[in-house]
Amino acid sequence: MNILDIIYDKVPKALKALYDMDMGSENLIINVTKKEFEGDYTVVTFPFSKQAKKRPDQIAEELGVYLIENVEEFTKFNVIKGFLNLSVSDEYWKTFLADVLTNETFGESKKNGKKALVEFSSPNTNKPLHLGHIRNILLGWSTAKILEKAGNDVVKTQIINDRGIAICKSMLAWQKFGEGKTPQSEGIKSDHFVGQWYVFFETKFKVEYAKWQESDAAKSLLKEKEVKEENVIEFFKKYKNEYFNKYSQLGAEAKAMLLKWEDNDKEVKDLWNKMNGWVYEGFETTYKNLGVHFDTLYYESDTYLLGKDIINEGLEKGTFYKKEDGSVWIDLESEKMDHKLVLRSDGTSVYMTQDIGTAKVRYEELGTEKMIYVVADEQNYHFKALFAILDKLGEPFAKGCHHLSYGMVNLPSGKMKSREGTVVDADDLMAEVIKEASDAATEIGALAGIPKEEQEEIFRQIGLAALKFFIIKVNPKKSMIFNPAESVDMQGQTGPYVQNAGVRCRSILRKLGEYDKGLIAQYSDIKEPEKELLQLIHSYPEVVRDAAEDYDPSHVANYCYALAKNFHKFFNSGLSVIRAETEDAKSFRAALTESTLNTLASSMDLLGIDIPERM
RNA sequence: GGUCCCGUAGCUCAGUUGGAUAGAGCAACUGACUUCUAAUCAGUAGGUCACAGGUUCGAAUCCUGUCGGGAUCACCA
């Protein structure tokens, strides 16, 4: 039995026996004892004081005596004010170590029979992936892994936003100015190729718009709106969308193309398929390089009409109401929100409509009662409303929906802006971190004797570890500052630092060869650095559970760092494994090293990070 | 303006079901490689936990207000 379970079980019993108190285990406060005090676990006794009618330190004293007498795992205790510090026997820790060594599913929870869907990435198909997508993808991937470890059956998916005006802009630009060029003919990664045409469209549009601003139509508009001289620039900035829809030649052509697409026009559909095909090919490469994949895909072109029938049903049941102009709404004031549109007056759907429909389809197709949407925090309100609507519709999966909201990724210079060309491209970024890893490795020279191909793979693993760890270690809901220089750091609180701990484990175990696991129990007098490592390993399953419960991979990243740090400390503490003072010590430390490696590998895998054989 | 999120060391971040003297890394400085990988370790220095009240044995953590930053409040996606 796990020592924490024992504490949670025995302390209430002790309180009952000593003071005739009924204290549920959920009200106990148990901490790992702070380093500066003796002991392994601490029971906080202040909360018992009122009921027991005694001073906290007195209770701690009496509780300590009782626990030592009645629980064999406890060997001694000390009391400081209302803190009861309990020491756990070496026997317990040695048994734990021997068990964990052979436990291949350590950290995993039993299957809970629940199916969870994690949706992440979900890009538009008009331009390549960038740093914002990377945060999204890493969070999604890691969350999926964590949920899996916590006992869920997980389906990883993305909804690809493959239709709409954006892709039409790329298509139109290529059609008008592309002269039949292809990614192959230009030697450009195919999603970047499509992105260039999107940018090209925007450039052309900008020119057109600037020219129009000098026209009579624009001047009379300014007069009509009574725009002051000094506000003209500001006005046109805001007016851009309306210009696009009302006056723009290019805008009209793009919209005409969208209409043709909706009409299933063969020529447009062919073009659409061609360009999206290029984009998917490029995305595939990026995902592969990043080390992620999906179990199933959804395309907006398939789902964008979903949800209408649900709206109509809900209309009959009175969940929604219709305005005079024919638009359909829902009143969310009871949820402290607004009235929300779910169907336009012309009967076409909005984003909300298809999200309602898609959620239901997924539930029906996949049986996923948990659905996690990894989407930036600018859509907090949208998802709050979506989940409230699903709940009002009485959907059984509504309560299992969760918006894993994450903050924007900013640069030290400020926001990323496509207009100013400061958007950090995903492919460039990965290439950059891998190159940095390669440079650092060359400088150190530890990989000199290894075949080129293996070296390349290790550089990739290290570079990506730096990038991934840098991003995942930050609490998702916080917006983060991405400093490119720091993201390629390989020292300190970084991915490579954690990898290095694992590599050191591997190196020791490789040199040591076989060892006698039967001697673990013979080791006497566990030293402080050994104990700290053991306790950390011991807490791994709890970390996974917490991370799954909070949908927060940063917990796992912080755990990885703590474990690596403690191993490095142990490694430098003078407690040698290979040259241990006795065979017992050698066996114990080898087992400790192996368990550390296994736990590091397992926890880093939850972040999508590999631990190389050497570095 | 309404709603939501954030504010912790020079910088980047941990720590929030309320617990002991608030922790790491980077940057700076000092020391440790003929010793299991120095991408490491040991140490020095760095704090009004935005501010002001409140709740209590105890507050970075909970409540109220103020200030600062962000997001959102479309028949856009």
Side-chain angles (χ1 to χ4, degrees):
Chain A
M1 201 176 180
N2 183 298
I3 189 68
L4 275 171
D5 294 336
I6 294 174
I7 298 175
Y8 280 109
D9 177 54
K10 295 293 183 184
V11 171
K13 285 180 180 163
L15 292 171
K16 180 77 181 167
L18 291 168
Y19 312 113
D20 196 30
M21 275 172 62
D22 292 308
M23 178 68 68
S25 62
E26 66 280 2
N27 295 322
L28 297 180
I29 294 158
I30 314 293
N31 299 317
V32 173
T33 304
K34 286 201 157 203
K35 250 190 289 184
E36 52 267 44
F37 303 102
E38 191 185 357
D40 297 322
Y41 293 96
T42 297
V43 183
V44 184
T45 62
F46 291 101
F48 310 150
S49 182
K50 220 173 219 171
Q51 268 198 64
K53 297 194 179 74
K54 287 201 175 185
R55 293 204 319 271
D57 56 335
Q58 229 173 344
I59 299 170
E61 188 69 31
E62 289 165 2
L63 194 57
V65 171
Y66 178 97
L67 290 172
I68 297 296
E69 273 174 16
N70 291 281
V71 185
E72 63 174 334
E73 283 83 0
F74 296 128
T75 52
K76 54 183 173 176
F77 72 94
N78 66 82
V79 173
I80 297 164
K81 293 186 283 185
F83 300 94
L84 168 61
N85 302 320
L86 294 159
S87 296
V88 176
S89 71
D90 280 5
E91 295 311 311
Y92 175 83
W93 291 117
K94 285 186 284 188
T95 307
F96 165 73
L97 179 57
D99 286 351
V100 82
L101 200 54
T102 55
N103 182 356
E104 289 190 1
T105 62
F106 181 62
E108 281 178 33
S109 299
K110 281 201 197 101
K111 289 267 174 207
N112 61 19
K114 284 190 183 160
K115 223 167 179 192
L117 180 102
V118 182
E119 180 197 288
F120 58 100
S121 191
S122 304
N124 292 319
T125 58
N126 60 320
K127 47 188 168 186
L129 303 172
H130 58 72
L131 177 54
H133 291 110
I134 289 194
R135 189 176 196 192
N136 182 307
I137 293 165
L138 296 179
L139 284 171
W141 177 264
S142 181
T143 301
K145 288 282 217 177
I146 289 165
L147 286 174
E148 210 159 27
K149 201 110 193 144
N152 302 277
D153 279 321
V154 176
V155 181
K156 298 184 284 289
T157 193
Q158 59 174 332
I159 184 153
I160 299 170
N161 298 302
D162 60 346
R163 63 166 285 281
I165 196 71
I167 182 65
C168 285
K169 289 179 183 175
S170 296
M171 285 156 63
L172 187 69
W174 185 83
Q175 192 183 52
K176 284 174 84 89
F177 311 104
E179 300 166 352
K181 288 177 186 164
T182 66
Q184 290 77 21
S185 74
E186 304 304 296
I188 299 172
K189 187 163 174 283
S190 51
D191 51 336
H192 290 251
F193 179 80
V194 174
Q196 285 182 0
W197 290 108
Y198 182 78
V199 172
F200 193 79
F201 179 94
E202 290 295 330
T203 312
K204 285 273 177 190
F205 173 73
K206 213 189 257 175
V207 171
E208 186 199 274
Y209 188 30
K211 205 170 167 192
W212 180 82
Q213 287 171 22
E214 303 298 322
S215 72
D216 292 343
K219 278 174 187 150
S220 60
L221 178 76
L222 287 176
K223 199 170 277 175
E224 181 193 326
K225 300 271 182 186
E226 295 175 6
V227 180
K228 285 185 196 138
E229 187 71 36
E230 64 267 31
N231 295 334
V232 166
I233 293 173
E234 185 70 13
F235 173 80
F236 278 129
K237 221 171 171 179
K238 281 189 183 154
Y239 194 73
K240 197 174 147 194
N241 251 345
E242 222 171 318
Y243 168 75
F244 180 87
N245 286 318
K246 269 192 184 164
Y247 303 98
S248 168
Q249 175 64 25
L250 286 167
E253 286 183 54
K255 285 198 308 188
M257 192 175 249
L258 182 58
L259 284 176
K260 277 188 173 178
W261 182 90
E262 282 170 3
D263 263 358
N264 250 324
D265 179 275
K266 175 143 189 335
E267 197 188 337
V268 169
K269 275 277 162 99
D270 285 349
L271 176 59
W272 176 74
N273 276 320
K274 186 209 296 255
M275 293 194 77
N276 272 344
W278 285 336
V279 170
Y280 299 149
E281 195 188 317
F283 284 174
E284 202 44 53
T285 305
T286 305
Y287 289 144
K288 193 161 169 263
N289 287 340
L290 204 48
V292 303
H293 61 262
F294 298 87
D295 303 314
T296 176
L297 301 178
Y298 288 88
Y299 295 90
E300 201 203 347
S301 54
D302 294 329
T303 62
Y304 81 111
L305 294 176
L306 291 175
K308 283 191 190 181
D309 45 345
I310 302 176
I311 304 300
N312 288 325
E313 279 170 39
L315 204 48
E316 280 170 31
K317 283 192 285 184
T319 314
F320 305 114
Y321 67 92
K322 195 175 247 181
K323 281 191 181 173
E324 278 178 17
D325 62 5
S327 58
V328 180
W329 298 72
I330 185 166
D331 175 3
L332 292 174
E333 277 178 26
S334 61
E335 316 295 317
K336 290 183 185 167
M337 282 179 274
D338 237 328
H339 290 239
K340 199 79 191 164
L341 177 90
V342 289
L343 220 50
R344 291 192 188 105
S345 51
D346 63 3
T348 56
S349 29
V350 288
Y351 206 51
M352 188 63 83
T353 323
Q354 53 173 302
D355 271 0
I356 294 167
T358 306
K360 184 152 185 169
V361 164
R362 286 169 173 175
Y363 177 69
E364 282 162 0
E365 284 179 0
L366 304 168
T368 46
E369 41 192 312
K370 279 189 193 179
M371 297 193 204
I372 292 90
Y373 297 81
V374 184
V375 180
D377 63 7
E378 56 197 357
Q379 293 193 36
N380 282 355
Y381 185 78
H382 173 78
F383 281 102
K384 208 175 153 198
L386 172 65
F387 300 158
I389 293 171
L390 291 171
D391 195 43
K392 279 192 187 291
L393 286 168
E395 297 296 350
F397 56 87
K399 285 184 178 56
C401 288
H402 183 262
H403 173 205
L404 203 177
S405 159
Y406 63 92
M408 291 291 156
V409 184
N410 298 318
L411 302 173
S413 54
K415 287 189 178 182
M416 287 195 281
K417 287 180 184 156
S418 49
R419 280 201 309 274
E420 292 164 23
T422 55
V423 174
V424 177
D425 177 74
D427 296 314
D428 293 349
L429 183 56
M430 283 192 279
E432 170 70 19
V433 292
I434 292 167
K435 184 181 178 301
E436 287 290 334
S438 163
D439 290 351
T442 309
E443 199 173 307
I444 292 167
L447 299 174
I450 296 178
K452 191 95 183 154
E453 218 165 89
E454 269 177 60
Q455 279 192 20
E456 295 295 329
E457 175 57 15
I458 292 172
F459 298 156
R460 203 186 73 86
Q461 287 176 330
I462 297 173
L464 285 179
L467 176 62
K468 290 180 178 185
F469 197 89
F470 185 78
I471 288 174
I472 299 180
K473 74 175 181 186
V474 180
N475 187 327
K477 73 179 170 189
K478 289 194 177 182
S479 64
M480 66 177 290
I481 295 175
F482 184 90
N483 186 332
E486 283 174 20
S487 73
V488 296
D489 255 339
M490 314 267 160
Q491 270 143 33
Q493 198 176 38
T494 67
Y497 172 97
V498 181
Q499 287 178 315
N500 185 233
V503 166
R504 284 176 148 183
C505 293
R506 288 198 202 281
S507 173
I508 290 171
L509 294 166
R510 197 167 44 233
K511 287 191 172 143
L512 182 69
E514 287 293 308
Y515 64 94
D516 187 352
K517 297 179 172 72
L519 295 177
I520 296 169
Q522 314 271 324
Y523 183 56
S524 60
D525 193 20
I526 299 175
K527 310 292 191 301
E528 203 48 45
E530 298 166 333
K531 173 74 79 64
E532 281 171 26
L533 254 183
L534 267 171
Q535 278 181 319
L536 259 176
I537 294 169
H538 188 268
S539 69
Y540 177 53
E542 205 185 327
V543 171
V544 177
R545 275 198 299 275
D546 287 348
E549 207 165 301
D550 296 349
Y551 303 103
D552 187 351
S554 70
H555 291 329
V556 175
N558 286 311
Y559 174 79
C560 291
Y561 175 69
L563 186 55
K565 188 177 167 65
N566 272 269
F567 183 79
H568 283 307
K569 198 173 165 188
F570 162 74
F571 185 88
N572 279 290
S573 68
L575 301 170
S576 178
V577 180
I578 292 172
R579 283 179 301 280
E581 56 279 16
T582 64
E583 284 303 305
D584 302 344
K586 185 191 281 188
S587 169
F588 177 88
R589 286 175 200 155
L592 188 57
T593 302
E594 194 175 335
S595 300
T596 302
L597 173 61
N598 292 342
T599 309
L600 276 176
S602 169
S603 53
M604 286 290 266
D605 180 59
L606 295 179
L607 310 181
I609 301 175
D610 298 322
I611 293 179
E613 193 62 37
R614 51 193 92 219
M615 64 191 282

